[in-house]
Each structure stands twice: as structure tokens, then as C-alpha cells.
């Protein structure tokens, strides 16, 4: 059930979508929320959730059941992301990467053998995947990527490195984007254990601390031809994966905003100053009323985006607008909630500060806030500013 639902968005959902929301919310309340603060404080990835997410059915929800997915629609996927990110953006990141950036490209661009080999295990959480597009010198401009794949006897040789890769330190497989001898971007599946393939953990993050982020290093890795994703040719294929993931990011941000708003609302009714609950002060009410308004707008935007996704009519630009709007909205809600909670807002007794720090990464990954603005600007003016 949607907890804060001012415009009765829940009435637009099917009984199945409502049930999914309730089940994932209960999982988040029972399993994620009680432990996540400790993992974030220790900068530790709760690896046990990989199996648990598999059992819950949040990996690959839109992938057909015969391949180990959930056979569900996009609104269901969005609602799952929302409820998981109420707990923590790191956990939703794990779900987004596995579902949209590993299972989806294998389903969309893979051979029948690749689908049979990898998808069921990924869906069950028996294996974990990561997605390697960003490089040390190519972030917002992935078209410049330098990792090379070239033909050799018995397959292909992969050389180069990837940076800022979610799940990398624990991943069993990596969907990697490299440049082939014709200069085109090619998707390939790299498996842990292939000689020359190593991962390194990135330490010292103040954001997404419960997510494991790392580097992928390829030193003359011999890739069998069976691991080339046959239809993942051209940068567009990689960007299509990002469209799917960004849809989940847009929904997930609503979950963070709901958690912050509901926490601040409750606190404001219980905290007394000047012999009154602080919720009775007009300036606190202004904050709460504006938060609710922005959350409601994001809920309606995302619901409509989900219906367009279900009809295969959602555009990259619509997804950019939703991701950009919702993440900014959630960050504003987190900041206002923190203010309402005064000093208590900075402590680990409440989730606000953790959410706020997480959102700084969410604002940058899957396309930065400004790049999404430029994607919108390019569409409405016909003049791309970043090419
Ligand atoms: P840059 O591209 O260097 O940008 C720096 C600043 O310059 C930004 O503000 C940007 O908006 C601005 N800028 C750049 N170009 C322009 C322009 N033309 N006009 C105006 N402004 C511009 N990548 C993956 O491939 N897989 C992952 O799993 C993954 N996980 C991540 C997890 C975390 C925690 C983080 C932080 C990042 C992750 N990334 C991942 C990488 C992420 O996608 C990149 O960080 C992002 O694309 C931005 O690249 P950059 O950090 O190199 O910033």
C-alpha cells in the first residue's frame, strides 16, 4: 500500500501492483531498515541481500518467466524500486544494476544460449552482475571509451579498465562495453576467474556506503566468442540499458522522499518547542506542504511514465526528465526534512542524512543532473549542446 498518496495514485494500480508494493515494503521494513544503518556506517555491502532479493523476485521483474524473470510490467518494477529505496539507495542500486543493466541487456542483446546460461541464476540471485561503461577518462562522454576488444586466435582479447562500477567487487559476471577493431562499441560478458580480469574496491565514499563500488581491470583477457553479446553493437545499445535503469532510479527517488517526509512529519508532531509541537508552526507546515506537493507531482509523473513504458512508447527524454526531476525533488525533501529535525536530523537515529548523502551519487550516476537537462534542451530546441 502506498503510505503517502495524496492524489490516490494507488487507485490507478492493479491489485497485483498493490500487492507487490505491500510485499516489497514489508521486506524493506523487516529486513533492510533494521540493519542498513550499520552497513552504511561500516561501508560494508550486505551481500546476503543478493540471495534475498532473488527470493523476493525483484531481480529482472520485467524479464519473461521462462528466462527466470518475473514476467511483470514496468509499473511493478518501478514500485519495487520505490519500496526498496525507502530502505537505502545502495540496495536499489543493486537491484537496478542486476535487473536493468545485466539481465536486460542479456535478454535484449544476447543469444539464446547466453539467456539460458545466465538469466535464471541472475534472477535467483545465485550470481551477481555488474555493468561496465564508465572509464577513468570517460564519464558523461561514454562515446569516447578506450577499452579495446580485438580478434585473436580462439576468441577476442579485452584490454582496458572501467571505473565507478556498482557491484564490481562482488560480481560474478560483468556486462562490459568495449571498442572493437571497426571502432564500434560492443557489449561482452566477462566472467570472474577469466585470467587477466581483476576488480578493485573503491574506498572512501561518503555516499552509497552500503554499495560496493569498484574498478574492472582487463589485462589481455581472452574472451571466448560465445561471450560476445551478438546484438549489443553501437553505443545506442548501452544507452538503451541506461534508459531502463533510469526508469527505476526515478521511482526509487520517490521512495527516499517518502521515507524522509514521513520521518519528518512524525517527528514534527512529537517534538515540542515553545510549549507546542513544532508541526504547529507555519514555517514547518510550509516545508511539509511543499514536500508533499512535490512528492505527489513525482508520483503522477512516474505513474504516467510507467504506463508509457508498458506500451513501449516512453522516450529517452521523458525518462531523463523523470530521473532528473525526481532525484532533485528527493534531495530537496531530504534537506528540508533534516532542517525540521534540527540536530537529531544529522544522527544515525534517523535515515535522513544517509539518504541525503546517497542521493548525491544518484544525482550523478545514470547521467548527471546537468546532462539530463541538456538531453531535454537538445530535444526541445533541436540544438544539442553536448555533442
Ligand atoms: P564527468 O563526466 O567528469 O562530469 C563532471 C561534471 O561536468 C558534471 O557535473 C557534469 O554534469 C559536467 N559535464 C560534463 N560534460 C558536460 C557538458 N557537455 N556540458 C555541461 N556539463 C558537463 N558507471 C557505470 O558504467 N556502471 C556503474 O555501475 C556505475 N556505478 C556508479 C556508482 C557510483 C556510486 C557513482 C558515483 C558512479 C557510478 N558510475 C557507474 C559512473 C557514473 O555513471 C558517472 O560518474 C557519471 O556518468 C558521470 O561521470 P563522471 O563522474 O566522470 O563526471
Amino acid at each position: 500500500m502506498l503510505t503517502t498518496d495524496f492524489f490516490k495514485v494507488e487507485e490507478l494500480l492493479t491489485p497485483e501492483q498493490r500487492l507487490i508494493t505491500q510485499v516489497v515494503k514489508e521486506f524493506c521494513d523487516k529486513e533492510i531498515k533494521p540493519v542498513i544503518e550499520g552497513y552504511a556506517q561500516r561501508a560494508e555491502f550486505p551481500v546476503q541481500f543478493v540471495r534475498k532479493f532473488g527470493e523476493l523476485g525483484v531481480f529482472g521483474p520485467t524479464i519473461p518467466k521462462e528466462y527466470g524473470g518475473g514476467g511483470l510490467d514496468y509499473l511493478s518494477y518501478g514500485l519495487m524500486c520505490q519500496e526498496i529505496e525507502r530502505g537505502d539507495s545502495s540496495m536499489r542500486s543493486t537491484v537496478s544494476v542486476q535487473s536493468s543493466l545485466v539481465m536486460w541487456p542479456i535478454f535484449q542483446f544476447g543469444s539464446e544460449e547466453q539467456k539460458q546460461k545466465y538469466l535464471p541464476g541472475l534472477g535467483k540471485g545465485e550470481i551477481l552482475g555488474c555493468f561496465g561503461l564508465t572509464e577513468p577518462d570517460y564519464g558523461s562522454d561514454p562515446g569516447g571509451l578506450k577499452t579495446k576488444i580485438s580478434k585473436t586466435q580462439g576468441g577476442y582479447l579485452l584490454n582496458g579498465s572501467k571505473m565507478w562500477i556498482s557491484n564490481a567487487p562482488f560480481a560474478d559476471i560483468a556486462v562490459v562495453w568495449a571498442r572493437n577493431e571497426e571502432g564500434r562499441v560492443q557489449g561482452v560478458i566477462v566472467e570472474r576467474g577469466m585470467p587477466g580480469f581483476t576488480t578493485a574496491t573503491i574506498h572512501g565514499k561518503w555516499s552509497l556506503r552500503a554499495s560496493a563500488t569498484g574498478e574492472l581491470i582487463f589485462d589481455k583477457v581472452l574472451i571466448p566468442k560465445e561471450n560476445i553479446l551478438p546484438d549489443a553493437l553501437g553505443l545506442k545499445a548501452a544507452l538503451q540499458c541506461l534508459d531502463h535503469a533510469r526508469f527505476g532510479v526515478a521511482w526509487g527517488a520517490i521512495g527516499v522522499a517518502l521515507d524522509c517526509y514521513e520521518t519528518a512529519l512524525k517527528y514534527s508532531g512529537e517534538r515540542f518547542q515553545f510549549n507546542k509541537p513544532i508541526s504547529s508552526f507555519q514555517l514547518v507546515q510550509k516545508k511539509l506542504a511543499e514536500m508533499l506537493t512535490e512528492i505527489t507531482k513525482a508520483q503522477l509523473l512516474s505513474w504516467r511514465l510507467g504506463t508509457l513504458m508498458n506500451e513501449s512508447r516512453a522516450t529517452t527524454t521523458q525518462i531523463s526528465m523523470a530521473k532528473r526531476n525526481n532525484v532533485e525533488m528527493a534531495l530537496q525533501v531530504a534537506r528540508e526534512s533534516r532542517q525540521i529535525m534540527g540536530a537529531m536530523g544529522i544522527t544515525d537515529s534517523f535515515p535522513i542524512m544517509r539518504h541525503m548523502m546517497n542521493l548525491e551519487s544518484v544525482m550523478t550516476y545514470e547521467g548527471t543532473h546537468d546532462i539530463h537537462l541538456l538531453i531535454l534542451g537538445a530535444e526541445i530546441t533541436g540544438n544539442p549542446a553536448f555533442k
Side-chain angles (χ1 to χ4, degrees):
M1 297 295 127
L2 299 182
T3 42
T4 299
D5 184 16
F6 203 63
F7 265 52
K8 305 197 185 321
V9 175
E10 193 173 314
E11 290 176 11
L12 303 170
L13 304 179
T14 64
E16 187 184 45
Q17 289 161 351
R18 286 182 216 175
L19 184 65
I20 287 167
T21 312
Q22 189 186 334
V23 168
V24 181
K25 182 175 187 307
E26 279 170 14
F27 177 89
C28 181
D29 288 343
K30 278 197 201 124
E31 303 268 348
I32 300 178
K33 283 190 171 183
V35 300
I36 199 66
E37 194 68 48
Y39 281 97
Q41 290 279 1
R42 297 190 297 276
E44 198 182 321
F45 177 56
V47 69
Q48 71 277 14
F49 279 119
V50 176
R51 277 297 181 117
K52 289 186 182 198
F53 285 150
E55 285 160 20
L56 184 63
V58 295
F59 283 156
T62 62
I63 304 293
K65 280 187 177 163
E66 66 259 37
Y67 292 115
L72 296 168
D73 74 321
Y74 279 93
L75 277 167
S76 301
Y77 176 37
L79 289 159
M80 287 175 177
C81 289
Q82 172 182 288
E83 295 311 320
I84 287 176
E85 199 155 350
R86 266 185 209 267
D88 194 86
S89 304
S90 301
M91 296 295 92
R92 199 270 310 135
S93 299
T94 297
V95 170
S96 292
V97 170
Q98 184 92 335
S99 301
S100 291
L101 299 179
V102 179
M103 292 180 74
W104 192 80
I106 292 174
F107 173 69
Q108 194 68 20
F109 306 123
S111 66
E112 187 55 35
E113 294 71 35
Q114 289 168 340
K115 292 181 204 180
Q116 301 284 355
K117 181 176 176 189
Y118 299 107
L119 290 177
L122 288 161
K124 288 193 197 108
E126 289 167 358
I127 52 172
L128 182 67
C130 68
F131 175 89
L133 178 64
T134 305
E135 297 186 355
D137 294 331
Y138 296 93
S140 298
D141 182 19
L145 65 84
K146 289 273 184 290
T147 295
K148 274 204 169 55
I149 187 155
S150 49
K151 280 198 182 113
T152 187
Q153 219 175 2
Y156 293 79
L157 273 186
L158 186 66
N159 276 297
S161 66
K162 299 287 173 180
M163 181 86 175
W164 299 113
I165 307 305
S166 303
N167 295 352
F170 290 85
D172 302 290
I173 64 167
V175 170
V176 173
W177 301 88
R179 193 170 301 286
N180 67 17
E181 284 154 308
E182 289 80 49
R184 298 199 70 190
V185 172
Q186 168 75 64
V188 54
I189 303 168
V190 185
E191 296 177 20
R192 190 174 289 282
M194 286 180 168
F197 172 42
T198 48
T199 59
T201 304
I202 295 174
H203 296 286
K205 291 180 297 161
W206 284 114
S207 175
L208 291 188
R209 286 171 63 81
S211 172
T213 316
E215 292 174 57
L216 306 175
I217 299 143
F218 315 108
D219 180 14
K220 299 191 205 90
V221 183
L222 180 63
I223 308 283
K225 66 176 186 326
E226 297 77 40
N227 284 40
I228 300 289
L229 285 164
D231 297 326
L233 198 56
L235 185 63
K236 197 168 171 230
L239 299 182
Q240 276 179 272
C241 304
L242 293 176
D243 274 352
H244 277 250
R246 287 166 184 164
F247 170 77
V249 174
W251 273 92
I254 301 174
V256 179
L258 288 170
D259 200 46
C260 292
Y261 166 77
E262 288 165 5
T263 305
L265 177 63
K266 182 165 182 289
Y267 184 87
S268 70
E270 293 165 356
R271 173 71 176 168
F272 276 65
Q273 288 295 288
F274 303 95
N275 300 318
K276 283 178 172 177
I278 59 169
S279 62
S280 66
F281 300 130
Q282 288 176 346
L283 290 176
V284 173
Q285 289 184 7
K286 177 176 188 289
K287 287 184 174 53
L288 291 168
E290 287 180 350
M291 283 191 230
L292 178 61
T293 307
E294 292 307 315
I295 289 170
T296 304
K297 282 152 69 177
Q299 285 172 324
L300 289 164
L301 179 77
S302 305
W303 177 82
R304 178 60 183 146
L305 182 64
T307 64
L308 290 171
M309 290 285 285
N310 284 343
E311 295 164 12
S312 303
R313 290 199 295 138
T315 65
T316 293
T317 324
Q318 288 166 339
I319 296 168
S320 280
M321 182 191 275
K323 189 265 186 187
R324 182 174 187 276
N325 177 77
N326 292 8
V327 176
E328 165 84 357
M329 177 281 293
L331 196 49
Q332 285 303 333
V333 168
R335 287 177 179 149
E336 297 285 59
S337 300
R338 214 290 303 149
Q339 283 205 58
I340 288 175
M341 299 183 66
M344 286 309 287
I346 71 158
T347 69
D348 62 4
S349 304
F350 295 96
I352 311 293
M353 204 68 195
R354 176 170 46 82
H355 281 319
M356 201 194 299
M357 293 196 300
N358 284 342
L359 285 168
E360 291 293 337
S361 287
V362 180
M363 205 157 198
T364 286
Y365 74 19
E366 301 282 349
T368 71
H369 195 61
D370 285 347
I371 292 294
H372 285 298
L373 177 131
L374 296 178
I375 290 172
L376 277 166
E379 177 153 325
I380 58 184
T381 64
N383 290 320
F386 56 94
K387 279 190 181 157

